[in-house]
Amino acid sequence: MLFHNIISIVCTLSLPVLVSSAGSIVSDFRIRNKDLSPSIGRGYSVGSGNIMALCFSMSSVNDITEPSFDYQYVFKEINMDVSQQISETLTSTQGWGNIQTSVQKTIAKESDIETKTQKVWAFMGVDKYYISADESKTVLNDFAKDILGAGKFIQFFQACGPSFIRSIRRASEFHGIFNYKTQVGSVKETVSYLKKNTSNNVDAGDSSAKIDLESNEVTIEMKAYGVSLPGKGHGFMARTFEAYGKAMDYAFTAMMNPHSGFIRSIEVVPWVNNVQFQAASRMEAQIDGKHSYLRRFYTIVNAEHVARLDEILRNRMTIFNMIVFCIGTLNAFPLDADGKLLKDKYAVCDLGGACEPDVPMTVRQLKLALQRLMPPAGGAGSSYLIERYSLEMNDFLEYYMGPCLTEMSNTSGGAVGGAMQVKHWSSMEGCNKISCVFTGTKWNDTNQKCERSAEVDDVSWIVERFCPASLQIFTAEN
């Protein structure tokens, strides 16, 4: 009973978050993953973080609103107390970790020598925002309009997501580090010289310059994040102060492109709040006495549930396919490789074989973990892990996902697919077995619901770290 009450509270409290405003801001680690390609008009699921298909037709860049830019430039000497000198705004920049690493390596290397490397950090950053779809110009593409016109709302949300990306906030950064070897105590002279040279683009070969690049071992490090590469030329190559000035000009031009840059945040809007979606789905009419605003409410929360079910099934299929592939790779290894260590994708190993984190796994150990031969509860016969995974996926489809999506797709009030617009998924008979969406649960034929089993075949962390299987080149025995 307590479990049921907790679930009811969670469901009740979570719904207004999605419907209280036209859009929601997403700025967590999921959207900053550089393996993803978020763009304006693509579908998005707030619950799963998945990016879906592009269901808007945008004919040109004129369909995007005029962006705004914030520009910041910093020129500062840094030393071993670097973390205490810089503001929190600057320490949160994309390249700050490289700055700290550069300083720490220099300190460790020169701790016992009189000549020190002074460092001066030049930072240029551009924040780009108000980059949004102009909804007076964007239209649903033919695919989206066709399936909405046929009342296939489930297929629409599976392809286009429960929401779409309306605007994106991006940022670009350029970092330059000047390393100058000098005697201890001459930091002020170093900074003064570098400021003069970088601001006036004085060539290092100029006879009026006080310090020469080669004789005084001045080096320049440059890193750029989230920039496009416009035109031709040397770009970020700089061997003189004059070339560095040109690189700064090039970086500034590259960072002004509103369509480039790493993602800071996105604004996502439920499809039901888009006027073209409302027109294509005839959302203004009443169904079974439910007003249009209630239809929109139910559609939002039920669309997220559709995305959640897709995510669960997709994850199970991915793990299943990786297990099958990984077992095939392991069986292809020679028999004398059973005792050899496998490469951990998340470990960093030195040439001596010491790894961090140290989670050793041999070929034989991984074989046994992925086969997991065990007798069933009845005691007769036995089954392998992939057989149980296959059965669990089939049970999830047959006893929960299938009935749930079928009931959502039913006609209601004469509207094809209208059932998901007049009732919350947790009150539908095909969807109300809420435990089926929890990780680690299995369908129980006796009780006709999903339950947590004493034997849980969760090998996702093993598959994630060690599959596809690859032998370690260096081991401790080497």
Side-chain angles (χ1 to χ4, degrees):
M1 185 64 181
L2 177 60
F3 175 80
H4 176 76
N5 290 337
I6 291 173
I7 293 301
S8 300
I9 292 171
V10 170
C11 291
T12 303
L13 293 180
S14 65
L15 300 182
V17 176
L18 296 174
V19 298
S20 60
S21 63
S24 303
I25 303 301
V26 180
S27 59
D28 58 27
F29 68 94
R30 297 174 298 174
I31 201 63
R32 297 175 186 175
N33 185 345
K34 293 181 180 179
D35 293 328
L36 303 177
S37 299
S39 61
I40 292 175
R42 291 191 67 177
Y44 187 79
S45 169
V46 176
S48 66
N50 286 331
I51 296 176
M52 314 296 195
L54 177 65
C55 293
F56 268 133
S57 289
M58 292 184 286
S59 57
S60 68
V61 294
N62 294 326
D63 293 342
I64 306 298
T65 58
E66 189 69 25
S68 295
F69 301 86
D70 286 347
Y71 175 77
Q72 185 178 23
Y73 180 76
V74 175
F75 195 92
K76 187 176 183 65
E77 179 263 332
I78 53 179
N79 56 32
M80 64 188 302
D81 296 323
V82 61
S83 60
Q84 300 175 6
Q85 300 174 3
I86 310 301
S87 68
E88 183 178 349
T89 302
L90 293 177
T91 56
S92 63
T93 59
Q94 190 86 352
W96 179 247
N98 289 314
I99 305 297
Q100 286 185 306
T101 300
S102 177
V103 172
Q104 291 166 357
K105 285 183 177 179
T106 300
I107 293 173
K109 185 178 180 181
E110 299 178 348
S111 58
D112 298 325
I113 59 177
E114 184 176 352
T115 300
K116 304 291 185 182
T117 297
Q118 309 297 341
K119 291 179 179 289
V120 177
W121 175 38
F123 166 73
M124 182 167 58
V126 175
D127 191 13
K128 295 168 270 194
Y129 49 95
Y130 300 151
I131 308 170
S132 177
D134 186 342
E135 294 185 67
S136 65
K137 298 179 181 179
T138 54
V139 296
L140 291 171
N141 60 29
D142 292 339
F143 163 78
K145 286 188 287 190
D146 288 345
I147 59 177
L148 283 176
K152 299 178 179 178
F153 293 97
I154 298 295
Q155 290 88 329
F156 176 87
F157 293 125
Q158 286 176 325
C160 303
S163 306
F164 68 94
I165 300 174
R166 182 166 65 181
S167 66
I168 297 179
R169 181 176 179 177
R170 298 180 181 271
S172 298
E173 296 177 4
F174 175 84
H175 297 262
I177 304 179
F178 298 91
N179 302 289
Y180 169 54
K181 290 189 178 296
T182 183
Q183 298 295 318
V184 177
S186 58
V187 175
K188 291 184 178 180
E189 291 79 1
T190 304
V191 175
S192 176
Y193 170 76
L194 292 175
K195 282 185 175 180
K196 174 185 174 183
N197 280 270
T198 53
S199 60
N200 297 318
N201 289 344
V202 178
D203 195 312
D206 189 344
S207 59
S208 64
K210 295 181 180 179
I211 301 178
D212 182 80
L213 271 173
E214 295 183 359
S215 62
N216 289 278
E217 300 184 55
V218 177
T219 60
I220 303 173
E221 303 173 41
M222 290 185 292
K223 288 185 179 292
Y225 301 87
V227 300
S228 60
L229 299 176
K232 299 180 180 179
H234 298 294
F236 298 112
M237 295 176 60
R239 296 183 177 87
T240 65
F241 287 115
E242 181 181 26
Y244 176 78
K246 293 180 179 178
M248 290 283 286
D249 294 338
Y250 182 85
F252 181 81
T253 302
M255 291 193 295
M256 287 297 111
N257 183 350
H259 304 292
S260 68
F262 55 88
I263 306 296
R264 287 284 194 199
S265 62
I266 62 173
E267 180 197 16
V268 294
V269 179
W271 278 109
V272 296
N273 288 332
N274 176 263
V275 291
Q276 295 188 41
F277 176 92
Q278 292 179 13
S281 58
R282 298 177 289 277
M283 191 64 68
E284 75 286 350
Q286 290 191 15
I287 296 180
D288 287 346
K290 296 294 192 299
H291 194 275
S292 59
Y293 74 85
L294 281 176
R295 288 182 61 191
R296 291 197 295 271
F297 173 86
Y298 286 128
T299 302
I300 290 173
V301 292
N302 289 336
E304 278 292 344
H305 191 59
V306 170
R308 184 183 301 112
L309 297 185
D310 268 15
E311 169 77 359
I312 293 171
L313 183 61
R314 189 182 302 111
N315 286 341
R316 293 185 181 186
M317 290 175 62
T318 299
I319 295 295
F320 176 80
N321 290 332
M322 289 189 69
I323 291 173
V324 173
F325 180 75
C326 202
I327 290 176
T329 304
L330 292 169
N331 289 338
F333 287 144
L335 294 177
D336 59 2
D338 273 8
K340 294 186 178 297
L341 289 174
L342 292 166
K343 185 183 296 183
D344 183 349
K345 288 185 290 185
Y346 294 107
V348 178
C349 303
D350 59 28
L351 295 180
C355 298
E356 181 62 38
D358 186 16
V359 184
M361 178 73 71
T362 66
V363 172
R364 178 170 175 76
Q365 286 173 335
L366 186 57
K367 281 182 181 179
L368 294 175
L370 298 184
Q371 289 175 354
R372 293 214 45 195
L373 184 64
M374 64 173 59
S382 58
S383 63
Y384 286 99
L385 175 67
I386 56 174
E387 293 176 312
R388 297 192 296 276
Y389 254 78
S390 179
L391 181 62
E392 289 171 21
M393 282 194 296
N394 184 68
D395 286 346
F396 179 75
L397 274 169
E398 183 175 352
Y399 298 114
Y400 186 75
M401 185 172 181
C404 182
L405 298 186
T406 298
E407 186 168 351
M408 283 190 184
S409 303
N410 288 340
T411 298
S412 181
V416 179
M420 72 176 300
Q421 302 171 31
V422 297
K423 188 184 295 186
H424 190 280
W425 64 268
S426 63
S427 63
M428 296 181 185
E429 186 177 353
C431 305
N432 62 9
K433 301 174 180 65
I434 299 176
S435 59
C436 289
V437 301
F438 295 157
T439 301
T441 59
K442 302 178 183 179
W443 180 258
N444 186 316
D445 275 332
T446 304
N447 299 327
Q448 290 293 293
K449 62 180 181 179
C450 293
E451 297 178 343
R452 178 107 179 147
S453 172
E455 292 291 341
V456 178
D457 290 322
D458 186 6
V459 294
S460 56
W461 74 271
I462 297 177
V463 172
E464 184 71 19
R465 298 184 77 107
F466 297 100
C467 293
S470 177
L471 295 176
Q472 270 192 28
I473 297 176
F474 300 98
T475 64
E477 286 78 12
N478 293 142

